[in-house]
């Protein structure tokens, strides 16, 4: 596969002309459009996010940006800059990860403005997740926003957008039954284990990793009868904390080959960039172990367990993509709740767009305030002099207010009195009625 040259410089399209509303643009791929083999090629590790945000700004692709990179999606939101073109962001993404642009053909989706806002709201609410309504995605979006803020990438528009998304997600959770059933990727993995192995009571489970997903898996496993846990993790402290919570044993990653001998189920979810469990390791273990079949569930992107493990006898490997069928069971109620959630989202998108459109008049409001302030300062200086001379303050205040009124209204009245087309005159009069609510005052 041919990779983008590391030294390439991406040439973004021309910026939009001044005076137009700056676009919010969403670009990405997810489990809906791309298999795990593609998604893992363009996933962002936490260590590379700072470089990614810096590069987006340096390339002129974004004045503000947000990267959401999870097991099931990689999405980039930009505001300002030249990144509102799909090709510009696709070229950048391929260049940053060093992958052939053809890898993403047919897998990318993009949207702008109201549709981009709607998509983010749906993502935050769990409506775009593999399992509808799963709550973990909201935490992941919050983490993504925190990373963007920490790197100075989230400005006033994306700040407002993300906080709005969090509020929408909270509203959907409280006003619908979208989160009523305990269904998540972790729960689907446990259901799969129970389906394949029958009762989980008495089974031995090896957990690789100690993050939130693994902890959630362990919680569901214990609810289904598992009592024997072993935790292998890079961080000894975190591994010990998780093992203690579930009355298990903590180990280093190097102990995995030994731990595999006693495991019935292996569930792995780490941030490793390379496979932790290889075919060679599994082959050696299966040649000596006496416990029979081994079920492995890989919840990580990039994958923790080498795909070639699938070919080892008595091993059954499942990835995130394999959980989709399991996740469909029991989703009827969530789909009904999703319909109600969509109505809430449509309402909130409309309100957010109204707020965005109001930003277009901010420069005009600023100019108007500056103009009136200038007139006020002029008159204030002039009439303060009369006060210093000892003149009656009430008379000075009366004169000041009339002079200020005349100053402020002089230009608008002069414009109204100028000869012009009837349509223009009517428009100006109508605008005055609206701006100053003159019709209401007359009523």
């Amino acid at each position: 596969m041919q990779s983008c040259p590391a030294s390439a410089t991406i040439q973004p399209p021309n910026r939009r002309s001044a005076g137009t509303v700056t676009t919010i643009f969403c670009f990405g791929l997810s489990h809906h459009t791309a298999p795990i083999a593609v998604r893992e090629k363009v996933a962002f590790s936490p260590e590379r996010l700072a470089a990614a945000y810096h590069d987006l700004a340096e390339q002129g692709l974004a004045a503000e940006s947000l990267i959401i990179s999870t097991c099931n999606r990689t999405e980039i939101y930009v505001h300002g800059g030249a990144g509102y073109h799909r090709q510009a962001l696709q070229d950048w993404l391929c260049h940053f990860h060093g992958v052939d642009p053809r890898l993403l053909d047919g897998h990318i989706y993009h949207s702008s403005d109201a549709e981009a806002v709607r998509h983010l709201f749906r993502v935050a609410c769990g409506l775009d997740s593999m399992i509808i309504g799963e709550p973990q995605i909201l935490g992941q979006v919050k983490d993504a926003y925190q990373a963007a803020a920490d790197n100075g990438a989230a400005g006033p528009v994306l700040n407002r957008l993300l906080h709005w998304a969090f509020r929408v997600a909270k509203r959907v959770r409280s006003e619908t039954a979208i989160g009523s059933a305990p269904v998540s990727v972790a729960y689907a993995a446990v259901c799969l284990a129970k389906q394949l192995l029958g009762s989980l009571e008495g089974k031995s489970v090896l957990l690789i990793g100690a993050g939130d997903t693994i902890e959630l898996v362990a919680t569901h496993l214990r609810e289904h009868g598992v009592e024997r846990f072993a935790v292998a993790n890079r961080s000894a402290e975190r591994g010990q904390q998780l093992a203690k919570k579930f009355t298990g044993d903590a180990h280093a990653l190097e102990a995995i080959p030994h731990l595999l001998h006693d495991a019935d189920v292996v569930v792995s979810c780490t941030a490793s960039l390379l496979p932790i469990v290889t075919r060679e390791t599994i082959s050696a273990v299966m040649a000596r172990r006496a416990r029979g079949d081994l079920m492995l569930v890989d919840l990580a992107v990039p994958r923790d367990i080498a795909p070639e493990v699938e070919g080892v006898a008595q091993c059954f490997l499942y990835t995130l993509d394999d959980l989709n069928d399991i996740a469909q069971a029991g989703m009827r109620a969530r789909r009904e709740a999703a319909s109600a959630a969509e109505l809430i989202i449509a309402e909130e998108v409309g309100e957010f767009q109204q707020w965005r459109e109001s930003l277009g008049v901010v420069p005009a409001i600023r100019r108007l305030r500056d103009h009136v302030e200038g007139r006020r300062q002029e008159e204030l200086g002039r009439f303060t002099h009369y006060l210093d001379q000892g003149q009656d303050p009430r008379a000075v205040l009366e004169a000041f207010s009339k002079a200020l009124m005349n100053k402020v209204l002089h230009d608008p009245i002069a414009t109204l009195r100028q000869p012009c087309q009837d349509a223009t005159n009517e428009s100006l009069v109508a605008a005055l009625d609206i701006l100053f609510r003159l019709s209401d005052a007359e009523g």
Side-chain angles (χ1 to χ4, degrees):
M1 180 178 291
Q2 182 181 359
S3 299
C4 295
S7 60
T9 299
I10 300 168
Q11 297 297 331
N14 293 330
R15 297 173 183 265
R16 289 187 171 183
S17 59
T20 58
V21 177
T22 307
T23 297
I24 295 175
F25 189 79
C26 167
F27 165 93
L29 68 166
S30 71
H31 61 96
H32 291 302
T33 64
I36 190 171
V38 174
R39 300 199 307 271
E40 65 184 359
K41 297 291 187 183
V42 292
F44 289 86
S45 65
E47 295 77 17
R48 298 199 70 195
L49 278 176
Y53 282 123
H54 175 78
D55 204 37
L56 281 169
E58 186 74 15
Q59 296 276 353
L61 293 173
E64 302 180 42
S65 57
L66 170 76
I67 297 173
I68 300 176
S69 186
T70 71
C71 296
N72 287 329
R73 72 185 65 249
T74 291
E75 293 180 348
I76 304 170
Y77 295 81
V78 299
H79 176 259
Y84 53 83
H85 287 274
R86 165 185 170 165
Q87 196 60 50
L89 284 177
Q90 183 165 335
D91 289 346
W92 176 83
L93 185 64
C94 292
H95 164 64
F96 187 84
H97 288 288
V99 300
D100 189 325
R102 292 173 294 182
L103 176 73
L104 302 184
D105 287 349
H107 300 305
I108 295 296
Y109 51 81
H110 58 93
S111 56
S112 59
D113 295 324
E115 282 304 309
V117 172
R118 176 177 177 271
H119 180 74
L120 178 61
F121 288 178
R122 295 187 77 253
V123 169
C125 293
L127 297 186
D128 196 60
S129 297
M130 182 179 289
I131 299 174
I132 297 174
E134 63 95 2
Q136 281 71 40
I137 184 61
L138 179 58
Q140 292 168 330
V141 173
K142 288 182 176 179
D143 290 343
Y145 169 60
Q146 186 63 56
D150 290 344
N151 285 282
V157 173
L158 290 189
N159 280 333
R160 187 66 173 264
L161 174 61
L162 268 296
H163 283 290
W164 207 300
F166 302 151
R167 182 172 66 82
V168 173
K170 182 178 180 180
R171 184 183 169 192
V172 166
R173 290 279 163 186
S174 63
E175 296 182 21
T176 75
I178 195 71
S180 59
V183 180
S184 65
V185 170
Y187 187 74
V190 175
C191 291
L192 179 60
K194 191 172 182 179
Q195 177 182 329
L196 292 173
L197 302 177
S199 173
L200 295 179
E201 293 183 6
K203 300 301 182 184
S204 178
V205 175
L206 169 59
L207 304 173
I208 303 177
D212 292 343
T213 299
I214 287 292
E215 183 173 349
L216 188 58
V217 170
T219 300
H220 290 313
L221 285 169
R222 186 167 63 178
E223 290 171 351
H224 284 77
V226 175
E227 296 179 354
R228 291 194 294 161
F229 291 95
V231 180
N233 192 53
R234 193 176 307 279
S235 166
E237 180 181 358
R238 176 59 182 155
Q240 290 168 359
Q241 289 175 351
L242 186 63
K244 181 179 180 180
K245 181 174 181 178
F246 293 95
T247 321
D249 300 315
H251 305 268
L253 293 180
E254 290 74 16
I256 288 175
H258 170 72
L259 298 172
L260 287 169
H261 284 280
D262 297 321
D264 298 298
V265 179
V266 178
V267 183
S268 186
C269 185
T270 76
S272 175
L273 299 179
L274 297 173
I276 293 174
V277 179
T278 64
R279 178 187 173 93
E280 291 74 18
T281 299
I282 291 294
S283 296
V285 168
M286 296 305 292
R288 297 192 300 272
R289 65 180 252 139
R291 291 187 68 88
D293 295 343
L294 177 63
M295 175 184 172
L296 302 103
V297 180
D298 190 348
L299 301 178
V301 176
R303 285 175 280 191
D304 285 339
I305 303 173
E308 295 78 14
V309 167
E310 181 74 37
V312 178
Q314 294 186 283
C315 285
F316 301 90
L317 173 62
Y318 300 89
T319 68
L320 281 170
D321 289 349
D322 298 315
L323 301 178
N324 194 34
D325 292 338
I326 304 299
Q328 299 309 309
M331 292 301 294
R332 189 176 298 108
R334 290 200 172 204
R335 292 194 185 96
E336 292 176 359
S339 298
E342 295 285 8
L343 296 177
I344 293 174
I345 289 172
E347 175 188 333
E348 294 285 353
V349 168
E351 292 184 9
F352 180 81
Q353 286 300 100
Q354 287 179 4
W355 172 79
R356 281 201 69 218
E357 289 167 4
S358 73
L359 296 180
V361 302
V362 169
I365 293 173
R366 187 178 294 115
R367 291 195 302 272
L368 177 61
R369 291 183 67 89
D370 291 345
H371 174 75
V372 175
E373 175 64 15
R375 299 295 183 269
R376 188 185 74 86
Q377 291 289 349
E378 290 175 6
E379 298 306 309
L380 184 62
R382 189 156 65 93
F383 283 90
T384 299
H385 176 67
Y386 296 140
L387 289 174
D388 294 339
Q389 291 178 343
Q391 296 190 27
D392 180 15
R394 185 178 291 275
V396 172
L397 185 60
E398 178 74 14
F400 167 74
S401 62
K402 288 182 178 179
L404 180 60
M405 178 184 69
N406 290 332
K407 279 272 189 177
V408 170
L409 295 180
H410 176 269
D411 290 338
I413 291 174
T415 300
L416 280 173
R417 286 175 171 171
Q418 288 177 357
C420 55
Q421 296 179 2
D422 291 343
T424 304
N425 252 339
E426 291 174 3
S427 298
L428 289 174
V429 171
L432 280 175
D433 284 342
I434 294 171
L435 288 172
F436 293 98
R437 301 181 180 178
L438 300 181
S439 298
D440 294 343
E442 290 172 1

